[in-house]
Amino acid sequence: MSPAQALALRDRLGWTSSPTKEWMFTTDHDLEEKDASFTTVEAGGDTRTVVSFNMSLTSRVPKDVMDEAIPITGRAFDAYVEALTAVYGRGKRGKRKQHASVTWTLPSDASVRIGTVSWLISISITSPAGNEAARGEAQYFDEIADENDPAR
């Protein structure tokens, strides 16, 4: 979709734009902070296209309740994963230290990713064009690494 279409959708949903960056906005799930955004890339010439949508599903928590919030967030993350698995099937899990994620690649090559770190849960949806660009970037950096490998 075009940035104009994304902004129109944001407005139809009643979400509030940031006063300085229209692609950042506050949704209606009462987090009282900018909790969503979309990313655009150049699609050719002067044309831009939306390649991803990102949204926080949890809000910031005060430090004095952090220890209580983290296990609650973990259970909520597991429930989201279960619900998304029911829709999309088994996703690909990723885990690093205190960060867990699950990504589903759809038949269209769009992807849905949910991740958690500490008390934060966020979700992102990436278009087929965004995934293609990410694969191209990864291939480019792999080729550079191969060229700079002293063992070659």
Side-chain angles (χ1 to χ4, degrees):
M1 88 175 29
S2 72
Q5 291 169 317
L7 294 172
L9 177 60
R10 175 205 64 201
D11 294 345
R12 278 197 312 272
L13 292 170
W15 295 348
T16 306
S17 178
S18 163
T20 58
K21 296 178 181 169
E22 65 185 354
W23 61 89
M24 294 182 69
F25 40 94
T26 303
T27 64
D28 57 359
H29 62 266
D30 198 32
L31 298 180
E32 298 179 5
E33 57 191 57
K34 290 177 200 69
D35 58 358
S37 64
F38 63 83
T39 305
T40 63
V41 296
E42 190 171 309
D46 291 334
T47 305
R48 296 196 70 74
T49 186
V50 173
V51 294
S52 67
F53 170 78
N54 309 289
M55 184 167 67
S56 296
L57 300 175
T58 54
S59 58
R60 300 182 200 286
V61 297
K63 288 183 181 182
D64 61 336
V65 296
M66 189 71 66
D67 290 341
E68 182 182 338
I70 291 172
I72 294 169
T73 301
R75 290 190 298 275
F77 175 77
D78 292 341
Y80 279 123
V81 169
E82 185 178 325
L84 289 165
T85 298
V87 174
Y88 299 121
R90 188 177 192 85
K92 181 179 176 185
R93 289 192 172 266
K95 182 148 175 94
R96 294 182 298 193
K97 285 197 177 187
Q98 297 178 359
H99 174 79
S101 66
V102 180
T103 303
W104 293 266
T105 301
L106 310 182
S108 66
D109 195 33
S111 61
V112 175
R113 179 187 175 281
I114 188 166
T116 185
V117 59
S118 186
W119 47 264
L120 179 67
I121 301 173
S122 62
I123 192 159
S124 62
I125 301 166
T126 304
S127 72
N131 286 325
E132 182 179 341
R135 285 190 297 272
E137 183 178 76
Q139 179 181 354
Y140 171 78
F141 285 112
D142 286 345
E143 290 171 4
I144 287 176
D146 287 345
E147 290 173 6
N148 293 321
D149 185 354
R152 296 189 109 225

mmCIF file of all heavy atoms in Angstrom, residues 2-37:
data_model
loop_
_atom_site.group_PDB
_atom_site.id
_atom_site.type_symbol
_atom_site.label_atom_id
_atom_site.label_comp_id
_atom_site.label_asym_id
_atom_site.label_seq_id
_atom_site.Cartn_x
_atom_site.Cartn_y
_atom_site.Cartn_z
ATOM 1 N N SER A 2 0.329 2.303 -0.445
ATOM 2 C CA SER A 2 1.074 3.560 -0.467
ATOM 3 C C SER A 2 1.033 4.204 0.916
ATOM 4 O O SER A 2 0.156 3.897 1.728
ATOM 5 C CB SER A 2 0.446 4.510 -1.487
ATOM 6 O OG SER A 2 -0.795 4.992 -0.999
ATOM 7 N N PRO A 3 1.960 5.127 1.189
ATOM 8 C CA PRO A 3 1.882 5.850 2.463
ATOM 9 C C PRO A 3 0.542 6.571 2.646
ATOM 10 O O PRO A 3 -0.003 6.585 3.749
ATOM 11 C CB PRO A 3 3.048 6.838 2.393
ATOM 12 C CG PRO A 3 4.035 6.161 1.493
ATOM 13 C CD PRO A 3 3.186 5.444 0.468
ATOM 14 N N ALA A 4 -0.005 7.129 1.580
ATOM 15 C CA ALA A 4 -1.299 7.827 1.682
ATOM 16 C C ALA A 4 -2.401 6.855 2.100
ATOM 17 O O ALA A 4 -3.257 7.185 2.931
ATOM 18 C CB ALA A 4 -1.650 8.501 0.360
ATOM 19 N N GLN A 5 -2.383 5.630 1.548
ATOM 20 C CA GLN A 5 -3.374 4.625 1.931
ATOM 21 C C GLN A 5 -3.195 4.227 3.398
ATOM 22 O O GLN A 5 -4.171 4.037 4.118
ATOM 23 C CB GLN A 5 -3.260 3.393 1.033
ATOM 24 C CG GLN A 5 -3.700 3.638 -0.395
ATOM 25 C CD GLN A 5 -3.325 2.482 -1.310
ATOM 26 O OE1 GLN A 5 -2.220 1.947 -1.239
ATOM 27 N NE2 GLN A 5 -4.251 2.123 -2.194
ATOM 28 N N ALA A 6 -1.945 4.098 3.839
ATOM 29 C CA ALA A 6 -1.676 3.733 5.243
ATOM 30 C C ALA A 6 -2.159 4.832 6.181
ATOM 31 O O ALA A 6 -2.759 4.550 7.227
ATOM 32 C CB ALA A 6 -0.184 3.475 5.444
ATOM 33 N N LEU A 7 -1.937 6.089 5.812
ATOM 34 C CA LEU A 7 -2.394 7.201 6.649
ATOM 35 C C LEU A 7 -3.919 7.263 6.688
ATOM 36 O O LEU A 7 -4.516 7.531 7.740
ATOM 37 C CB LEU A 7 -1.806 8.519 6.152
ATOM 38 C CG LEU A 7 -0.285 8.641 6.295
ATOM 39 C CD1 LEU A 7 0.214 9.892 5.589
ATOM 40 C CD2 LEU A 7 0.139 8.621 7.748
ATOM 41 N N ALA A 8 -4.553 6.990 5.553
ATOM 42 C CA ALA A 8 -6.020 6.984 5.516
ATOM 43 C C ALA A 8 -6.567 5.855 6.396
ATOM 44 O O ALA A 8 -7.553 6.046 7.116
ATOM 45 C CB ALA A 8 -6.514 6.834 4.077
ATOM 46 N N LEU A 9 -5.929 4.686 6.361
ATOM 47 C CA LEU A 9 -6.346 3.577 7.218
ATOM 48 C C LEU A 9 -6.169 3.946 8.691
ATOM 49 O O LEU A 9 -7.061 3.705 9.510
ATOM 50 C CB LEU A 9 -5.550 2.314 6.877
ATOM 51 C CG LEU A 9 -5.834 1.091 7.748
ATOM 52 C CD1 LEU A 9 -7.302 0.682 7.649
ATOM 53 C CD2 LEU A 9 -4.919 -0.055 7.342
ATOM 54 N N ARG A 10 -5.028 4.542 9.020
ATOM 55 C CA ARG A 10 -4.789 5.002 10.401
ATOM 56 C C ARG A 10 -5.923 5.911 10.852
ATOM 57 O O ARG A 10 -6.470 5.750 11.938
ATOM 58 C CB ARG A 10 -3.452 5.755 10.463
ATOM 59 C CG ARG A 10 -3.150 6.373 11.824
ATOM 60 C CD ARG A 10 -2.216 7.536 11.745
ATOM 61 N NE ARG A 10 -2.838 8.626 10.994
ATOM 62 C CZ ARG A 10 -2.173 9.608 10.421
ATOM 63 N NH1 ARG A 10 -0.858 9.649 10.492
ATOM 64 N NH2 ARG A 10 -2.796 10.558 9.766
ATOM 65 N N ASP A 11 -6.297 6.852 10.010
ATOM 66 C CA ASP A 11 -7.354 7.797 10.364
ATOM 67 C C ASP A 11 -8.710 7.114 10.492
ATOM 68 O O ASP A 11 -9.475 7.423 11.416
ATOM 69 C CB ASP A 11 -7.421 8.925 9.336
ATOM 70 C CG ASP A 11 -6.165 9.795 9.355
ATOM 71 O OD1 ASP A 11 -5.385 9.712 10.327
ATOM 72 O OD2 ASP A 11 -5.951 10.535 8.374
ATOM 73 N N ARG A 12 -9.021 6.167 9.586
ATOM 74 C CA ARG A 12 -10.304 5.442 9.671
ATOM 75 C C ARG A 12 -10.399 4.635 10.956
ATOM 76 O O ARG A 12 -11.481 4.453 11.506
ATOM 77 C CB ARG A 12 -10.479 4.516 8.456
ATOM 78 C CG ARG A 12 -10.985 5.212 7.219
ATOM 79 C CD ARG A 12 -11.540 4.251 6.177
ATOM 80 N NE ARG A 12 -10.705 3.102 5.870
ATOM 81 C CZ ARG A 12 -9.743 3.069 4.948
ATOM 82 N NH1 ARG A 12 -9.462 4.136 4.244
ATOM 83 N NH2 ARG A 12 -9.063 1.968 4.731
ATOM 84 N N LEU A 13 -9.265 4.145 11.443
ATOM 85 C CA LEU A 13 -9.253 3.375 12.684
ATOM 86 C C LEU A 13 -9.314 4.279 13.912
ATOM 87 O O LEU A 13 -9.424 3.801 15.030
ATOM 88 C CB LEU A 13 -8.006 2.493 12.745
ATOM 89 C CG LEU A 13 -7.977 1.347 11.726
ATOM 90 C CD1 LEU A 13 -6.602 0.685 11.700
ATOM 91 C CD2 LEU A 13 -9.072 0.329 12.023
ATOM 92 N N GLY A 14 -9.213 5.580 13.704
ATOM 93 C CA GLY A 14 -9.289 6.527 14.813
ATOM 94 C C GLY A 14 -7.998 6.647 15.604
ATOM 95 O O GLY A 14 -8.010 7.131 16.734
ATOM 96 N N TRP A 15 -6.890 6.229 15.013
ATOM 97 C CA TRP A 15 -5.608 6.313 15.699
ATOM 98 C C TRP A 15 -5.052 7.724 15.577
ATOM 99 O O TRP A 15 -5.315 8.434 14.617
ATOM 100 C CB TRP A 15 -4.637 5.285 15.143
ATOM 101 C CG TRP A 15 -5.088 3.865 15.404
ATOM 102 C CD1 TRP A 15 -6.089 3.457 16.232
ATOM 103 C CD2 TRP A 15 -4.561 2.690 14.819
ATOM 104 N NE1 TRP A 15 -6.207 2.096 16.217
ATOM 105 C CE2 TRP A 15 -5.279 1.585 15.353
ATOM 106 C CE3 TRP A 15 -3.554 2.431 13.904
ATOM 107 C CZ2 TRP A 15 -5.006 0.274 15.001
ATOM 108 C CZ3 TRP A 15 -3.280 1.119 13.547
ATOM 109 C CH2 TRP A 15 -4.009 0.060 14.110
ATOM 110 N N THR A 16 -4.282 8.157 16.558
ATOM 111 C CA THR A 16 -3.808 9.530 16.651
ATOM 112 C C THR A 16 -2.372 9.642 16.157
ATOM 113 O O THR A 16 -1.481 8.967 16.674
ATOM 114 C CB THR A 16 -3.884 10.013 18.119
ATOM 115 O OG1 THR A 16 -5.213 9.818 18.598
ATOM 116 C CG2 THR A 16 -3.491 11.473 18.221
ATOM 117 N N SER A 17 -2.163 10.517 15.197
ATOM 118 C CA SER A 17 -0.839 10.729 14.621
ATOM 119 C C SER A 17 0.066 11.490 15.578
ATOM 120 O O SER A 17 -0.385 12.332 16.351
ATOM 121 C CB SER A 17 -0.977 11.533 13.323
ATOM 122 O OG SER A 17 0.287 11.798 12.771
ATOM 123 N N SER A 18 1.348 11.197 15.510
ATOM 124 C CA SER A 18 2.336 12.004 16.217
ATOM 125 C C SER A 18 2.341 13.389 15.581
ATOM 126 O O SER A 18 2.204 13.503 14.362
ATOM 127 C CB SER A 18 3.719 11.356 16.069
ATOM 128 O OG SER A 18 4.733 12.273 16.387
ATOM 129 N N PRO A 19 2.520 14.442 16.355
ATOM 130 C CA PRO A 19 2.539 15.778 15.767
ATOM 131 C C PRO A 19 3.768 16.030 14.891
ATOM 132 O O PRO A 19 3.760 16.913 14.049
ATOM 133 C CB PRO A 19 2.529 16.715 16.973
ATOM 134 C CG PRO A 19 2.904 15.887 18.137
ATOM 135 C CD PRO A 19 2.612 14.468 17.810
ATOM 136 N N THR A 20 4.814 15.239 15.044
ATOM 137 C CA THR A 20 6.036 15.484 14.278
ATOM 138 C C THR A 20 6.325 14.441 13.212
ATOM 139 O O THR A 20 7.013 14.722 12.248
ATOM 140 C CB THR A 20 7.258 15.563 15.218
ATOM 141 O OG1 THR A 20 7.352 14.347 15.958
ATOM 142 C CG2 THR A 20 7.134 16.748 16.160
ATOM 143 N N LYS A 21 5.804 13.231 13.369
ATOM 144 C CA LYS A 21 6.076 12.155 12.409
ATOM 145 C C LYS A 21 4.783 11.399 12.153
ATOM 146 O O LYS A 21 4.379 10.567 12.960
ATOM 147 C CB LYS A 21 7.155 11.207 12.948
ATOM 148 C CG LYS A 21 8.487 11.889 13.128
ATOM 149 C CD LYS A 21 9.511 10.940 13.704
ATOM 150 C CE LYS A 21 10.823 11.704 13.879
ATOM 151 N NZ LYS A 21 11.796 10.962 14.652
ATOM 152 N N GLU A 22 4.165 11.653 11.006
ATOM 153 C CA GLU A 22 2.844 11.098 10.751
ATOM 154 C C GLU A 22 2.824 9.577 10.660
ATOM 155 O O GLU A 22 1.785 8.955 10.843
ATOM 156 C CB GLU A 22 2.241 11.715 9.490
ATOM 157 C CG GLU A 22 2.988 11.397 8.216
ATOM 158 C CD GLU A 22 2.427 12.128 7.012
ATOM 159 O OE1 GLU A 22 1.390 12.803 7.147
ATOM 160 O OE2 GLU A 22 3.029 12.023 5.936
ATOM 161 N N TRP A 23 3.961 8.939 10.413
ATOM 162 C CA TRP A 23 3.992 7.481 10.331
ATOM 163 C C TRP A 23 4.111 6.827 11.711
ATOM 164 O O TRP A 23 4.073 5.615 11.836
ATOM 165 C CB TRP A 23 5.124 6.996 9.424
ATOM 166 C CG TRP A 23 6.489 7.410 9.902
ATOM 167 C CD1 TRP A 23 7.286 6.713 10.772
ATOM 168 C CD2 TRP A 23 7.196 8.592 9.578
ATOM 169 N NE1 TRP A 23 8.445 7.400 11.005
ATOM 170 C CE2 TRP A 23 8.427 8.569 10.272
ATOM 171 C CE3 TRP A 23 6.914 9.689 8.754
ATOM 172 C CZ2 TRP A 23 9.355 9.587 10.179
ATOM 173 C CZ3 TRP A 23 7.868 10.691 8.669
ATOM 174 C CH2 TRP A 23 9.054 10.635 9.376
ATOM 175 N N MET A 24 4.221 7.643 12.763
ATOM 176 C CA MET A 24 4.169 7.140 14.135
ATOM 177 C C MET A 24 2.838 7.578 14.724
ATOM 178 O O MET A 24 2.400 8.708 14.511
ATOM 179 C CB MET A 24 5.315 7.715 14.966
ATOM 180 C CG MET A 24 6.666 7.238 14.508
ATOM 181 S SD MET A 24 7.978 7.910 15.548
ATOM 182 C CE MET A 24 7.664 7.027 17.061
ATOM 183 N N PHE A 25 2.176 6.692 15.475
ATOM 184 C CA PHE A 25 0.858 7.041 15.975
ATOM 185 C C PHE A 25 0.516 6.242 17.215
ATOM 186 O O PHE A 25 1.210 5.300 17.583
ATOM 187 C CB PHE A 25 -0.218 6.837 14.896
ATOM 188 C CG PHE A 25 -0.036 5.603 14.061
ATOM 189 C CD1 PHE A 25 -0.670 4.428 14.396
ATOM 190 C CD2 PHE A 25 0.777 5.626 12.940
ATOM 191 C CE1 PHE A 25 -0.511 3.294 13.629
ATOM 192 C CE2 PHE A 25 0.942 4.500 12.162
ATOM 193 C CZ PHE A 25 0.299 3.324 12.506
ATOM 194 N N THR A 26 -0.555 6.655 17.850
ATOM 195 C CA THR A 26 -1.071 5.992 19.037
ATOM 196 C C THR A 26 -2.349 5.280 18.646
ATOM 197 O O THR A 26 -3.236 5.875 18.042
ATOM 198 C CB THR A 26 -1.363 7.028 20.149
ATOM 199 O OG1 THR A 26 -0.166 7.744 20.415
ATOM 200 C CG2 THR A 26 -1.846 6.345 21.400
ATOM 201 N N THR A 27 -2.431 4.007 18.984
ATOM 202 C CA THR A 27 -3.632 3.235 18.675
ATOM 203 C C THR A 27 -4.659 3.464 19.770
ATOM 204 O O THR A 27 -4.421 4.202 20.712
ATOM 205 C CB THR A 27 -3.298 1.729 18.587
ATOM 206 O OG1 THR A 27 -2.859 1.280 19.870
ATOM 207 C CG2 THR A 27 -2.229 1.461 17.542
ATOM 208 N N ASP A 28 -5.762 2.791 19.646
ATOM 209 C CA ASP A 28 -6.835 2.980 20.624
ATOM 210 C C ASP A 28 -6.799 1.937 21.741
ATOM 211 O O ASP A 28 -7.773 1.777 22.450
ATOM 212 C CB ASP A 28 -8.195 2.971 19.937
ATOM 213 C CG ASP A 28 -8.431 1.701 19.150
ATOM 214 O OD1 ASP A 28 -7.543 0.825 19.110
ATOM 215 O OD2 ASP A 28 -9.507 1.578 18.553
ATOM 216 N N HIS A 29 -5.673 1.218 21.923
ATOM 217 C CA HIS A 29 -5.677 0.262 23.027
ATOM 218 C C HIS A 29 -5.081 0.850 24.301
ATOM 219 O O HIS A 29 -4.578 0.150 25.156
ATOM 220 C CB HIS A 29 -5.121 -1.118 22.645
ATOM 221 C CG HIS A 29 -3.707 -1.188 22.196
ATOM 222 N ND1 HIS A 29 -3.340 -1.136 20.886
ATOM 223 C CD2 HIS A 29 -2.563 -1.338 22.889
ATOM 224 C CE1 HIS A 29 -2.031 -1.252 20.782
ATOM 225 N NE2 HIS A 29 -1.537 -1.375 21.981
ATOM 226 N N ASP A 30 -5.194 2.167 24.417
ATOM 227 C CA ASP A 30 -5.008 2.898 25.664
ATOM 228 C C ASP A 30 -3.650 2.714 26.332
ATOM 229 O O ASP A 30 -3.550 2.561 27.535
ATOM 230 C CB ASP A 30 -6.124 2.544 26.655
ATOM 231 C CG ASP A 30 -6.225 3.580 27.775
ATOM 232 O OD1 ASP A 30 -5.939 4.763 27.513
ATOM 233 O OD2 ASP A 30 -6.579 3.201 28.897
ATOM 234 N N LEU A 31 -2.591 2.735 25.531
ATOM 235 C CA LEU A 31 -1.259 2.676 26.126
ATOM 236 C C LEU A 31 -0.749 4.075 26.465
ATOM 237 O O LEU A 31 0.271 4.219 27.117
ATOM 238 C CB LEU A 31 -0.282 1.977 25.183
ATOM 239 C CG LEU A 31 -0.605 0.520 24.851
ATOM 240 C CD1 LEU A 31 0.443 -0.049 23.915
ATOM 241 C CD2 LEU A 31 -0.714 -0.320 26.098
ATOM 242 N N GLU A 32 -1.456 5.073 25.983
ATOM 243 C CA GLU A 32 -1.125 6.473 26.237
ATOM 244 C C GLU A 32 0.307 6.829 25.820
ATOM 245 O O GLU A 32 0.987 7.613 26.456
ATOM 246 C CB GLU A 32 -1.360 6.820 27.714
ATOM 247 C CG GLU A 32 -2.821 6.662 28.105
ATOM 248 C CD GLU A 32 -3.077 6.979 29.564
ATOM 249 O OE1 GLU A 32 -2.150 7.417 30.264
ATOM 250 O OE2 GLU A 32 -4.221 6.789 29.992
ATOM 251 N N GLU A 33 0.776 6.235 24.743
ATOM 252 C CA GLU A 33 2.090 6.548 24.190
ATOM 253 C C GLU A 33 2.072 6.145 22.722
ATOM 254 O O GLU A 33 1.206 5.398 22.288
ATOM 255 C CB GLU A 33 3.184 5.789 24.938
ATOM 256 C CG GLU A 33 2.999 4.288 24.932
ATOM 257 C CD GLU A 33 3.937 3.560 25.884
ATOM 258 O OE1 GLU A 33 3.930 3.864 27.084
ATOM 259 O OE2 GLU A 33 4.666 2.706 25.411
ATOM 260 N N LYS A 34 3.025 6.659 21.960
ATOM 261 C CA LYS A 34 3.127 6.245 20.564
ATOM 262 C C LYS A 34 3.472 4.764 20.575
ATOM 263 O O LYS A 34 4.500 4.359 21.079
ATOM 264 C CB LYS A 34 4.194 7.049 19.840
ATOM 265 C CG LYS A 34 3.799 8.477 19.623
ATOM 266 C CD LYS A 34 4.938 9.235 18.960
ATOM 267 C CE LYS A 34 4.786 10.707 19.166
ATOM 268 N NZ LYS A 34 4.992 11.155 20.538
ATOM 269 N N ASP A 35 2.571 3.952 20.049
ATOM 270 C CA ASP A 35 2.769 2.514 20.156
ATOM 271 C C ASP A 35 2.731 1.795 18.821
ATOM 272 O O ASP A 35 2.761 0.579 18.776
ATOM 273 C CB ASP A 35 1.737 1.903 21.106
ATOM 274 C CG ASP A 35 0.303 2.175 20.684
ATOM 275 O OD1 ASP A 35 0.087 2.862 19.671
ATOM 276 O OD2 ASP A 35 -0.607 1.687 21.371
ATOM 277 N N ALA A 36 2.679 2.535 17.721
ATOM 278 C CA ALA A 36 2.629 1.896 16.416
ATOM 279 C C ALA A 36 3.288 2.791 15.375
ATOM 280 O O ALA A 36 3.402 4.000 15.553
ATOM 281 C CB ALA A 36 1.178 1.609 16.028
ATOM 282 N N SER A 37 3.725 2.157 14.292
ATOM 283 C CA SER A 37 4.337 2.907 13.199
ATOM 284 C C SER A 37 4.347 2.041 11.955
ATOM 285 O O SER A 37 4.141 0.832 12.017
ATOM 286 C CB SER A 37 5.777 3.301 13.550
ATOM 287 O OG SER A 37 6.585 2.142 13.695
#
